Amino acid sequence: MQAPPSEAILARLTALLPKRIDLSLGRIERLLAALGHPELHLPPVIHIAGTNGKGSTLAMLAAMLRASGRRVHRYISPHLVSFAERILLDDVPIDEDRLAEALARCERANAGEPITFFEITTAAAFLAMSEVPSDLVLLETGLGGRLDATNVVPRPRLVLISPLSLDPRAHLGATIAAIAGEKAGILKPGVPTIAGPQPPEAAEVLVARAATVGAPLLLHGRDWSVRPDDGGIEVTTPVATTRWPAPALAGVHQAENAGLAVMAAQALHELGLDAATIARGLREARWPARLQRLTRGPLPAALAPGSTLLLDGGHNPA
């Protein structure tokens, strides 16, 4: 069976810069200019950075938006099985023809100049998402924030910061404060920001950065909180305490991500998401390989009776 055209293009793109990770914005800004600045023609963007929980938070928020009838694009990384999973158009993986076309256009516009794989594929995502109608784009940083290729969107509708921890030290710093400083680089003047539970040193950095750039900040533990409660979650703000169903995603840690998604949905005032829609999104969200129970296939079949097999992509102590 012949490989799809996108695979050959992706293979070529990996050779454009010998270093797999080289944080910079100059290369992608050059390419986006050559493409006609698709990042300026996106629907309203919700931009998220963090160490853990970015994908889970966006999966729940996307489910809430879909439950309200909205069309949602999502950009995530890495993928689980197929690269197409990284670019979700109306929450469906991009089809092969559109993916190959976007990648080919980026390859031609780049004209062999040095650029990282993540940078040029992010440009392809912006290109595809700018050309398919949608109500919102949910945009996940790849690594860091300040110099992440996604941080070229000049004014998102909303910024989210999921929980931070020491991962990965080699690229963002050896301390929580240093990592928080890089992640906080996606905060923008006047753009509302909501931060999930953070270590104290990270919270301090986020508060300082928000004050410096003039970003209104809702910080967990200061302005809002979430906790598991009687089979669900409880979200508290200065205005009210509300109770929500437990998220469909397994694990007690998902309560924090669910709380951040609830806060994000409520912050999108213009969409008027009601409580029933938000609750439905929590119950219907799916995000494979996050404490996913495997019940079919050779591995579950080989287990001893009464055993459970869970697949999880956890990659750091947090």
Side-chain angles (χ1 to χ4, degrees):
M1 182 175 177
Q2 188 175 8
S6 64
E7 289 190 14
I9 303 173
L10 289 167
R12 290 197 300 270
L13 298 183
T14 61
L16 290 174
L17 193 70
K19 293 178 66 176
R20 182 167 173 265
I21 297 173
D22 184 18
L23 299 179
S24 168
L25 293 181
R27 292 179 297 267
I28 191 170
E29 288 172 342
R30 168 186 52 75
L31 176 56
L32 291 171
L35 291 167
H37 286 293
E39 81 282 8
L40 303 181
H41 301 284
L42 296 172
V45 171
I46 289 84
H47 199 190
I48 187 168
T51 306
N52 298 298
K54 299 188 298 294
S56 296
T57 299
L58 291 192
M60 287 184 265
L61 181 56
M64 296 170 190
L65 294 166
R66 286 199 312 275
S68 74
R70 265 69 178 197
R71 296 166 300 177
V72 183
H73 295 338
R74 251 192 297 170
Y75 180 56
I76 61 172
S77 62
H79 57 273
L80 185 61
V81 176
S82 166
F83 181 89
E85 298 167 26
R86 297 187 182 212
I87 305 172
L88 302 171
L89 303 179
D90 200 4
D91 232 39
V92 175
I94 187 171
D95 66 68
E96 169 59 26
D97 289 345
R98 189 179 292 275
L99 174 59
E101 180 192 15
L103 291 171
R105 288 165 66 185
C106 289
E107 186 178 32
R108 288 194 300 270
N110 188 64
E113 291 293 319
I115 193 165
T116 69
F117 180 82
F118 184 72
E119 289 163 356
I120 197 167
T121 53
T122 297
F126 287 153
L127 195 59
M129 292 189 295
S130 71
E131 295 177 348
V132 177
S134 177
D135 298 301
L136 286 159
V137 168
L138 307 186
L139 184 62
E140 179 183 328
T141 59
L143 179 67
R146 180 176 63 92
L147 296 176
D148 188 83
T150 62
N151 200 28
V152 293
V153 176
R155 189 174 176 83
R157 167 61 182 84
L158 182 67
V159 166
L160 305 176
I161 305 292
S162 69
L164 302 178
S165 65
L166 285 173
D167 175 54
R169 289 188 182 192
H171 303 290
L172 301 181
T175 67
I176 290 288
I179 291 170
E182 291 297 317
K183 306 285 187 181
I186 72 168
L187 274 63
K188 302 291 191 302
V191 175
T193 301
I194 307 173
Q198 305 295 342
E201 55 269 50
E204 184 177 344
V205 171
L206 294 175
V207 169
R209 177 64 180 173
T212 297
V213 303
L217 173 66
L218 293 177
L219 177 68
H220 183 276
R222 185 191 72 178
D223 306 304
W224 72 281
S225 64
V226 59
R227 68 180 185 89
D229 177 61
D230 194 25
I233 63 169
E234 183 180 272
V235 176
T236 299
T237 69
V239 175
T241 293
T242 53
R243 289 175 175 80
W244 304 91
L249 304 184
V252 67
H253 62 289
Q254 291 292 0
E256 297 179 350
N257 300 324
L260 184 56
V262 168
M263 291 293 293
Q266 293 180 327
L268 298 171
H269 309 293
E270 67 278 14
L271 300 185
L273 302 184
D274 59 26
T277 298
I278 294 173
R280 179 181 165 189
L282 289 172
R283 290 192 295 262
E284 294 182 352
R286 298 293 181 267
W287 194 223
R290 277 72 181 176
L291 285 180
Q292 178 185 356
R293 185 173 180 177
L294 301 185
T295 58
R296 299 191 307 272
L299 291 178
L303 294 178
S307 299
T308 298
L309 180 62
L310 298 173
L311 175 65
D312 187 69
H315 59 284
N316 58 45

